[in-house]
Amino acid sequence: YAAMARSGYFPVSKLKTLRKLGSFLQGHPSYHDFPAMECSGGPLGQGISIAVGMALAAKLNKEKHHIYCTVGDGELNEGQCWEGFMMAAKNKLNNLTFIIDRNYIQIDGRTDKVMPLDSLAEKLKSFNLDVKTINGHNFKQILSELKVKGKNKPKAIIAKTIPGKGVSFIENKSEWHGITPNAEEAIKALKELEYVK
């Protein structure tokens, strides 16, 4: 939402209404509120299937654009994700890149306790994806890897990250998955991130 506001989709001041009753800024964006969006977010796993459909349509229409799909590691608990990966590999969708935020935390706790995924790279390779693991906090590495397509197959970038990185009271804590800091906590967080002197 912050990126959308800064890009002019709605006034930045509306960000203060995030997840408030009656606000259009709910937990997951809806295309009803943002006509520029092609689909709504929300149900876990559907983003992968939507991305696969877009990439397949682009191939069938001989279009040159590339589809990028960001995925949380907790989202991979959904069987639909793995069906999407199989479909992408079957159709050799090298115009499709998945970016998986591998932070080991989801709303219910740590992914290794809720539904273990390791070795995620080996699982994805067994589904015939071209897999690369990177530091998800290194922007040079991210941008460099986004330029490389899969070799006649879809690509999965496993971006290892630390949720809340740099904020002592939020870092690596699953309870912060779906809440926002209050005013005092926000100031403390911004100071720790060196945005406020």
Side-chain angles (χ1 to χ4, degrees):
Y1 288 135
M4 291 177 77
R6 296 279 180 200
S7 299
Y9 285 91
F10 57 88
V12 173
S13 62
K14 293 285 186 187
L15 289 171
K16 293 180 182 179
T17 69
L18 178 67
R19 286 187 151 173
K20 301 262 193 284
L21 189 61
S23 172
F24 62 95
L25 302 178
Q26 290 305 308
H28 296 282
S30 167
Y31 75 92
H32 293 292
D33 298 313
F34 302 103
M37 292 179 61
E38 295 184 42
C39 57
S40 296
L44 294 180
Q46 290 188 356
I48 291 173
S49 296
I50 292 166
V52 169
M54 290 176 166
L56 183 57
K59 284 269 190 190
L60 292 172
N61 293 328
K62 299 184 178 10
E63 295 169 346
K64 301 291 183 192
H65 57 273
H66 197 92
I67 308 298
Y68 297 90
C69 178
T70 56
V71 183
D73 53 2
E75 184 172 0
L76 297 181
N77 293 352
E78 298 291 337
Q80 179 172 332
C81 296
W82 300 94
E83 292 173 15
F85 291 147
M86 285 192 295
M87 182 70 167
K90 172 190 176 283
N91 288 285
K92 297 180 171 60
L93 299 180
N94 66 332
N95 62 337
L96 175 58
T97 299
F98 300 104
I99 303 127
I100 301 168
D101 180 13
R102 187 66 169 127
N103 62 38
Y104 291 87
I105 285 182
Q106 61 189 87
I107 200 164
D108 296 328
R110 294 197 51 84
T111 58
D112 51 342
K113 301 287 186 219
V114 177
M115 184 62 67
L117 285 168
D118 285 327
S119 163
L120 180 56
E122 293 306 313
K123 283 183 171 77
L124 293 167
K125 286 176 187 174
S126 75
F127 275 70
N128 204 25
L129 273 67
D130 192 3
V131 181
K132 179 75 175 187
T133 301
I134 64 168
N135 175 350
H137 299 291
N138 182 325
F139 284 95
K140 285 185 181 176
Q141 195 174 12
I142 294 166
L143 293 172
S144 173
E145 201 54 47
L146 287 175
K147 293 176 185 173
V148 181
K149 281 185 167 184
K151 297 170 186 70
N152 204 31
K153 60 175 73 170
K155 181 173 183 175
I157 300 170
I158 301 172
K160 292 196 168 187
T161 63
I162 299 168
K165 183 174 172 51
V167 181
S168 61
F169 60 96
I170 294 177
E171 192 170 296
N172 265 326
K173 294 185 177 144
S174 62
E175 58 268 26
W176 284 93
H177 178 90
I179 62 171
T180 55
N182 62 33
E184 184 181 322
E185 292 165 334
I187 290 167
K188 183 179 179 189
L190 290 169
K191 282 182 180 173
E192 288 189 23
L193 294 170
E194 298 181 2
Y195 287 121
V196 177
K197 301 282 180 191

